[in-house]
Amino acid sequence: MELAYVCEWEKRPKSTHCPSIPLVCSWSCRNLVAFSTDLKGEDDDKEVSHMIHIIDTEHPWDVYSINSGHTEVISCLEWDQSGSRLLSADGDGQIKCWSMSDHLVNSWESVLCSSLDGDPIVALSWLHNGVKLALHVEMSGSTNFGEKFSRVKFSPSLTLFGGKPMEGWMAVTVSGLVTVSLLKPGGALLTASESLCRLRGRVALADIAFTGGGNIVVAATDGSSSSPVQFYKVVVSVVSEKCRIDTELLPSLFLRCTTDPLRREKYPAVTHLKFLTRENSEQVLLCASNQNGSIVECWSLRKEGLPVNNIFQHRSPVVGEKQPTILKWRILTTTNDLERVSAVALPKLPISISNTDLKVASDTKFCPGLGLALAFHDGSIQILHRLSLHTMGVFYGSSSSSGQRPGDESAIKRQRTGGPALHFKALQFSWTSLALAGVDNHGKLHMLRVSPSMGQVLEMNTTLRHLLFLLEYCMVTGYDWWDVLLHVQPSMVHNLVEKLHEEYMRQNQALQQVLATRIVAVKASLCKLSTATAARACDFHAKLLLIAISSTLKSLLRPHVLNTPDKSPGDRLTEICAKNIDTDIDKVMINLKTEEFVLDGPPLQSLQQLIQWVGDFVLYLLANLPNQGAMVRPGFGFMRDGASLGMLREMLVMIRIWGLLKSGCLPTFTATSDNQDSMQLLFRLLTKLWLCSRDDGPPQDPDESLIDECCLLPSQLLVPSMDWLPVNDGVIVKLQGKQPLRLQFGKASSVPGGGSAPLEVFTRSPSSQKMDNLRCVHMGVCPTEESKACTRCGCVTMLRSPNKTNAMKQWEQRWIKNCLCGGLWRRIPPTLS
């Protein structure tokens, strides 16, 4: 484990963070981290503010701090499966649901709340939506994504009509109540509460897990290690428009350390109680502690045969009769005496733990998803195997040297120093288990890399295979892959991009279509990590915009008559353009049913800025064809991309037809000759280039005559300077070195500059025009409009739409939640646009 960055608070004279109050932290699948701190003023009498802070891991300094309005300490934070909503609960029984305002990661609002006045919440969870994947390490060499990541049969906690999962949340209180709040389709909240059992008792710790049959299991303890850990089955249903909760007592357990005569009184308190995974209610982790140390136990629920009395064993057996069985908790393993545990983090990666998968993971040293993290009061973190609890890696804190020392258990205990030691109060794994986020007792956020092999030396091919496997998992699930990029070195980028493309091309056509834009976004993120491939990142972003514009323009086409064949006008256009290799655009037009292209003037005119980008892009590609040599420049990736060149060719044909209907929608070119047919010229040269890279034949280098014509192009038409995406201002490109970054919340200037000089295409002079990368319009040198930027690729666009026409509003509506690359939006001040 290595520290990647630390983000700390600016020293404020009038308010301080309360280090004594427990902190909570939660990490979403979109790489948003939420954590709580409490602020108090200089005067002891001043009321404490209970704050929730939300960051995206790529821009940790851009924190959005919410004065939550909770009246007591925040005890739970929980993200939903989509990573777009957050639950918070406090010590007064209040639960709030937060969602993004205007779909911005740095703007949140409380939309719903429920309350059990005066009854503190100890456990909180969203209801399960029935989606569960299993990641099979044994099949990591398979060519089929469906074999690597299989869908597990799992029922939602509650379903609506037609089997659609019902959304809602569930909480457990100190007094032994379980409360469920259901979100009705209309937005109303349906709430009910029920006692966990008839004899209600104090619940100091609890956790919630789900079963494949749609039931919920609650584990609860009163905090004393001499008391049993109780388990309850909870079934939620809706009867006559009212929420109903049924509970049932399940087998309980006593901690092993309390039955050991030598340790009976040594660890009096249970400090941590966690199910090993959210979807596995049959394995539980328990931690008992005293003032100086802790012990951790792992238990498993097993079905065992019930012995039959000898009297009944001699009778003749009945056909089909089976031996009676009972469920019983059995201890899997326990640790030796440890330093006092301050926080526990469990892996979210749904790795299959079958014997064959575990053997392959051991042989290939694949560790993500197999380790759980324990933070100690001496500031160290230890990663233990989730089944055997043996040490896999150790982090010794910022006060001493960090590194992995597997098996070095004698070094785990360290001498206490004077004063309060810096230690983690909250700890969370990322969704691929390749990073750990920890909040210390001073409210600082620490981001740690967790090696896929836990520091074991691997061959480069094995390392690449591990990272590729996790990138594919993110691609299939839609989860953010930021934590995987933490482990990608610049020398790995080219191989990873190539191998990812190979694996993608082996999938069936339907899956390729689903993942078409996601794989381009992954490639773009990878290419930004190396200066040698940064130009290719430009190409991948341009390809995302090209795909989006092409699908938008084709969606405007309508069949002339309703009883048309299966193919849409867009599909017919693609088929005809693929077959017709004529370099004359007018001859290609003749084969099309032009009545399908008839549109009203206003939609065409409003889309002119997108049409202009297509024309400028084709001109830029062709004019730079002779310059593509040893040094890779932006546009190089399109030279052999027959599919993208074919897409550009189709759009030129569409634009040509629309130009006959409404000349104002045509792209504008500055020509040196008055009688120059610019569209005809560009189509002819583009077709020649496309013929060299068609998919149905071997790729060929452009011939000399084409290169000569492209050399003359700048003397015939004024070549525009393409405004590529601005250089990414996030931390990922600055984390290549081993030294951790020291950042400050609220200050972007605290981010150190990159080690190498940016490419020429990325440089921006202060007097240059700022570009709206989504609408393809200039915003001026000093934009006054509020803007938003993508957290992943840096794409900038205006927050409010300046357009009035429906066609352009539809285009903007497509990107209201996410960027072209799938990244989230964050509000930026006008000066950063």
Side-chain angles (χ1 to χ4, degrees):
M1 274 183 289
E2 294 171 346
L3 186 64
Y5 64 72
V6 179
C7 209
E8 60 187 359
W9 297 98
E10 182 185 2
K11 290 179 175 58
R12 304 175 185 177
K14 292 188 179 178
S15 61
T16 57
H17 290 272
C18 311
S20 61
I21 294 177
L23 306 172
V24 284
C25 175
S26 188
W27 192 328
S28 83
C29 63
R30 306 300 300 275
N31 276 324
L32 299 177
V33 174
F35 62 101
S36 69
T37 62
D38 287 6
L39 284 175
K40 63 180 178 182
E42 259 183 337
D43 304 327
D44 291 337
D45 299 335
K46 190 165 182 180
E47 189 178 333
V48 174
S49 300
H50 306 287
M51 308 294 292
I52 297 174
H53 311 283
I54 299 174
I55 61 146
D56 79 273
T57 51
E58 178 70 339
H59 306 86
W61 62 89
D62 189 12
V63 63
Y64 185 74
S65 298
I66 310 165
N67 190 340
S68 64
H70 284 292
T71 53
E72 292 292 335
V73 176
I74 296 170
S75 55
C76 304
L77 288 174
E78 195 74 28
W79 289 100
D80 72 345
Q81 283 292 93
S82 68
S84 59
R85 287 179 300 182
L86 178 71
L87 288 177
S88 63
D90 67 10
D92 192 39
Q94 205 174 26
I95 302 171
K96 293 191 175 188
C97 177
W98 304 86
S99 67
M100 293 184 206
S101 174
D102 293 327
H103 307 287
L104 300 169
V105 297
N106 51 2
S107 182
W108 294 78
E109 59 186 356
S110 175
V111 287
L112 292 163
C113 64
S114 62
S115 180
L116 287 168
D117 292 338
D119 203 352
I121 307 293
V122 293
L124 180 67
S125 177
W126 289 90
L127 297 181
H128 205 283
N129 61 2
V131 177
K132 185 188 175 187
L133 280 181
L135 184 139
H136 300 282
V137 184
E138 181 195 7
M139 306 303 295
S140 60
S142 170
T143 57
N144 187 349
F145 286 172
E147 293 176 352
K148 295 180 184 181
F149 320 110
S150 65
R151 180 79 181 260
V152 179
K153 190 176 181 182
F154 210 87
S155 298
S157 305
L158 191 63
T159 55
L160 294 164
F161 179 76
K164 182 183 177 183
M166 193 169 190
E167 293 183 317
W169 60 80
M170 173 183 170
V172 180
T173 70
V174 159
S175 69
L177 273 182
V178 57
T179 177
V180 174
S181 297
L182 303 176
L183 290 168
K184 294 175 76 176
L189 209 57
L190 202 61
T191 303
S193 301
E194 186 61 61
S195 176
L196 277 172
C197 60
R198 289 179 184 176
L199 296 173
R200 279 172 66 182
R202 179 176 180 269
V203 176
L205 295 172
D207 198 23
I208 300 167
F210 301 89
T211 69
N215 298 325
I216 303 165
V217 177
V218 174
T221 174
D222 64 4
S224 170
S225 59
S226 58
S227 301
V229 179
Q230 302 277 11
F231 294 85
Y232 306 91
K233 182 171 85 171
V234 179
V235 181
V236 182
S237 56
V238 176
V239 180
S240 302
E241 293 295 310
K242 290 184 179 179
C243 181
R244 177 177 165 178
I245 303 170
D246 295 299
T247 61
E248 179 186 327
L249 192 62
L250 296 176
S252 57
L253 64 88
F254 281 92
L255 269 76
R256 167 64 64 86
C257 64
T258 59
T259 60
D260 184 347
L262 299 175
R263 289 173 170 164
R264 184 171 294 169
E265 307 295 335
K266 189 173 183 181
Y267 299 108
V270 179
T271 52
H272 297 89
L273 164 62
K274 299 274 185 185
F275 286 107
L276 274 182
T277 65
R278 185 170 176 258
E279 283 122 355
N280 184 358
S281 60
E282 296 174 358
Q283 286 184 331
V284 70
L285 189 83
L286 294 156
C287 175
S289 306
N290 58 27
Q291 287 297 316
N292 301 313
S294 297
I295 190 168
V296 175
E297 299 179 2
C298 187
W299 291 73
S300 177
L301 186 66
R302 294 178 181 174
K303 192 177 283 187
E304 294 185 357
L306 199 62
V308 181
N309 193 287
N310 291 335
I311 297 173
F312 302 103
Q313 285 182 357
H314 300 292
R315 69 183 180 83
S316 55
V318 179
V319 177
E321 186 179 32
K322 294 180 181 177
Q323 183 184 7
T325 59
I326 58 166
L327 291 171
K328 203 167 188 179
W329 285 99
R330 292 288 184 190
I331 190 161
L332 278 178
T333 185
T334 182
T335 63
N336 296 325
D337 295 343
L338 302 168
E339 175 70 39
R340 190 178 172 202
V341 173
S342 61
V344 177
L346 295 169
K348 298 185 178 79
L349 192 72
I351 188 169
S352 169
I353 53 172
S354 67
N355 291 334
T356 50
D357 282 309
L358 288 174
K359 185 179 184 308
V360 173
S362 175
D363 293 344
T364 59
K365 299 181 175 67
F366 182 87
C367 299
L370 292 176
L372 58 93
L374 301 179
F376 299 98
H377 274 262
D378 65 355
S380 65
I381 297 175
Q382 192 178 163
I383 293 190
L384 308 180
H385 195 284
R386 61 189 269 189
L387 298 178
S388 64
L389 295 185
H390 72 255
T391 306
M392 299 171 75
V394 182
F395 172 75
Y396 291 97
S398 54
S399 58
S400 60
S401 60
S402 62
Q404 285 87 1
R405 301 183 195 174
D408 188 4
E409 297 200 14
S410 62
I412 295 167
K413 288 191 174 183
R414 302 173 58 238
Q415 292 294 321
R416 287 183 173 273
T417 56
L422 187 77
H423 61 273
F424 293 99
K425 303 283 279 185
L427 206 60
Q428 278 274 311
F429 267 113
S430 68
W431 283 63
T432 62
S433 300
L434 291 186
L436 264 175
V439 184
D440 67 21
N441 50 338
H442 295 296
K444 293 179 188 175
L445 178 74
H446 301 248
M447 185 63 64
L448 292 93
R449 290 187 183 96
V450 181
S451 165
S453 62
M454 285 295 162
Q456 300 173 86
V457 179
L458 297 179
E459 292 181 3
M460 179 58 81
N461 279 342
T462 309
T463 304
L464 288 174
R465 196 161 67 243
H466 288 173
L467 294 174
L468 181 68
F469 189 41
L470 293 169
L471 283 172
E472 290 168 351
Y473 169 72
C474 292
M475 212 163 66
V476 169
T477 56
Y479 296 160
D480 200 288
W481 49 86
W482 180 88
D483 46 337
V484 183
L485 301 182
L486 280 175
H487 302 270
V488 177
Q489 295 300 316
S491 57
M492 301 177 182
V493 170
H494 178 75
N495 286 336
L496 269 178
V497 170
E498 294 303 313
K499 288 179 183 293
L500 191 65
H501 183 73
E502 287 173 16
E503 291 298 318
Y504 168 78
M505 294 306 293
R506 288 174 180 156
Q507 308 311 308
N508 61 55
Q509 200 66 37
L511 187 56
Q512 283 189 29
Q513 200 168 349
V514 170
L515 303 177
T517 54
R518 210 172 282 166
I519 187 174
V520 178
V522 175
K523 289 177 182 176
S525 299
L526 287 168
C527 287
K528 281 195 173 179
L529 300 179
S530 168
T531 51
T533 53
R536 293 189 67 188
C538 295
D539 291 350
F540 289 127
H541 284 299
K543 187 170 182 178
L544 286 171
L545 185 55
L546 175 63
I547 292 169
I549 293 176
S550 173
S551 62
T552 299
L553 296 185
K554 283 182 179 178
S555 69
L556 297 174
L557 306 179
R558 294 288 180 267
H560 183 55
V561 286
L562 291 178
N563 55 344
T564 52
D566 297 335
K567 288 181 181 173
S568 66
D571 292 336
R572 278 201 295 278
L573 172 67
T574 302
E575 187 181 335
I576 290 168
C577 288
K579 288 178 181 176
N580 195 326
I581 59 173
D582 207 306
T583 56
D584 189 332
I585 191 169
D586 295 323
K587 289 182 179 176
V588 177
M589 278 170 48
I590 293 169
N591 296 311
L592 293 167
K593 294 180 180 177
T594 50
E595 60 269 16
E596 293 178 342
F597 294 80
V598 175
L599 297 175
D600 296 331
L604 289 177
Q605 189 63 52
S606 65
L607 294 171
Q608 200 276 333
Q609 60 220 48
L610 301 182
I611 291 170
Q612 182 69 48
W613 183 87
V614 173
D616 288 347
F617 188 66
V618 171
L619 177 53
Y620 177 88
L621 281 184
L622 295 170
N624 279 275
L625 178 61
N627 300 330
Q628 299 291 354
M631 181 182 174
V632 176
R633 295 172 180 272
F636 177 80
F638 286 91
M639 298 308 165
R640 296 190 179 251
D641 187 352
S644 296
L645 293 175
M647 208 182 291
L648 285 168
R649 198 164 166 266
E650 293 163 22
M651 283 195 280
L652 286 184
V653 174
M654 270 195 291
I655 293 166
R656 180 74 161 190
I657 297 172
W658 286 338
L660 300 175
L661 303 170
K662 180 79 175 176
S663 58
C665 74
L666 286 171
T668 305
F669 300 103
T670 305
T672 54
S673 172
D674 292 338
N675 57 359
Q676 174 71 60
D677 188 345
S678 305
M679 291 283 286
Q680 181 73 265
L681 173 64
L682 292 177
F683 185 83
R684 181 166 57 80
L685 297 178
L686 181 64
T687 301
K688 287 183 178 180
L689 181 60
W690 169 67
L691 289 172
C692 297
S693 55
R694 290 177 72 188
D695 296 333
D696 54 359
Q700 304 168 7
D701 289 327
D703 57 29
E704 291 296 326
S705 63
L706 175 58
I707 291 175
D708 289 343
E709 285 190 82
C710 289
C711 285
L712 293 172
L713 203 52
S715 64
Q716 297 169 298
L717 298 171
L718 182 65
V719 180
S721 58
M722 293 301 292
D723 199 304
W724 304 99
L725 286 184
V727 67
N728 198 343
D729 62 345
V731 295
I732 196 70
V733 292
K734 301 175 179 71
L735 293 174
Q736 303 295 332
K738 296 295 180 185
Q739 288 300 315
L741 298 181
R742 301 281 169 181
L743 309 172
Q744 198 172 81
F745 287 120
K747 286 192 175 181
S749 57
S750 64
V751 185
S756 55
L759 290 179
E760 185 185 348
V761 293
F762 289 130
T763 55
R764 300 284 187 278
S765 68
S767 60
S768 63
Q769 287 264 352
K770 307 300 186 291
M771 189 78 177
D772 185 319
N773 303 112
L774 207 56
R775 296 182 178 89
C776 304
V777 294
H778 291 285
M779 297 191 292
V781 176
C782 297
T784 54
E785 287 287 328
E786 272 195 305
S787 300
K788 58 184 179 181
C790 174
T791 56
R792 185 183 287 162
C793 70
C795 171
V796 174
T797 186
M798 284 179 281
L799 195 57
R800 308 289 171 220
S801 171
N803 296 295
K804 300 284 193 292
T805 57
N806 288 335
M808 203 59 201
K809 280 184 178 178
Q810 286 168 6
W811 165 261
E812 292 164 350
Q813 205 67 28
R814 287 183 65 182
W815 319 115
I816 195 87
K817 288 185 180 179
N818 301 98
C819 174
L820 291 158
C821 69
L824 297 168
W825 295 112
R826 67 187 185 101
R827 189 195 303 267
I828 56 173
T831 51
L832 292 180
S833 301

